[in-house]
Amino acid sequence: MHSHSLDQWTHEHLFLGERHDRNARRTWFVVALTAIMMVGEITAGSYFGSMALLADGWHMGTHFAALGIAGAAYLFARQHARDARFSFGTGKFGDLAAFSSAIILGIVAVQIAYESVLRLLSPVPIAYGEAIAVASLGLCVNA
């Protein structure tokens, strides 16, 4: 009997790496920590009149978005790792996630520059003592 199966020439495209799941868990932890600090800095920056805190809060927002996208890419890559429709594997989702993150960072940078120009034209009073305390915490989280 003659067989027309291609099974002998197929193979998996599983390129996730040994530490894929560990890296995904660590990414989600950093996403949560970044989100908390982002909300804190944006809130404090608005309340205390600090453009520096607002800028860092929005900057943390870009980290939150980038890491969230990376976490989603980890999840998607794991869920579709053995899917034959992805002939070159699912590793490319990490690259697409990085590209999306760069686009988001650019958009937020333009927004921060715009708000900074507005602050130069119409300065607001800043509560430096309170802003420094929040900024110090933000520095620890960034580190």
Side-chain angles (χ1 to χ4, degrees), residues 6 15-16 25 45 47 55 57 70 73 78 93-94 120 123 132:
L6 297 176
F15 305 115
L16 299 180
R25 281 191 305 278
Y47 187 73
R78 170 60 65 206
F93 291 108
L120 282 173
I132 289 293

Side-chain angles (χ1 to χ4, degrees), residues 116-138:
S116 296
V117 169
L118 291 179
R119 292 285 179 106
L120 282 173
L121 299 174
S122 295
V124 297
I126 301 169
Y128 288 103
E130 294 85 350
I132 289 293
V134 176
S136 299
L137 181 61

Side-chain angles (χ1 to χ4, degrees), residues 68-120:
I69 291 169
Y74 274 123
L75 182 62
F76 189 84
R78 170 60 65 206
Q79 288 176 342
H80 297 284
R82 296 190 186 336
D83 191 335
R85 294 176 297 171
F86 298 101
S87 57
F88 293 104
T90 55
K92 61 188 158 236
F93 291 108
D95 298 333
L96 292 172
F99 176 74
S100 301
S101 299
I103 298 295
I104 292 168
L105 178 60
I107 291 168
V108 170
V110 169
Q111 176 193 1
I112 290 170
Y114 174 75
E115 182 68 26
S116 296
V117 169
L118 291 179
R119 292 285 179 106
L120 282 173

Side-chain angles (χ1 to χ4, degrees), residues 39-55 119 131 134:
V39 170
E41 284 186 333
I42 291 172
T43 302
S46 298
Y47 187 73
F48 300 134
S50 172
M51 187 60 213
L53 279 179
L54 279 173
R119 292 285 179 106
V134 176

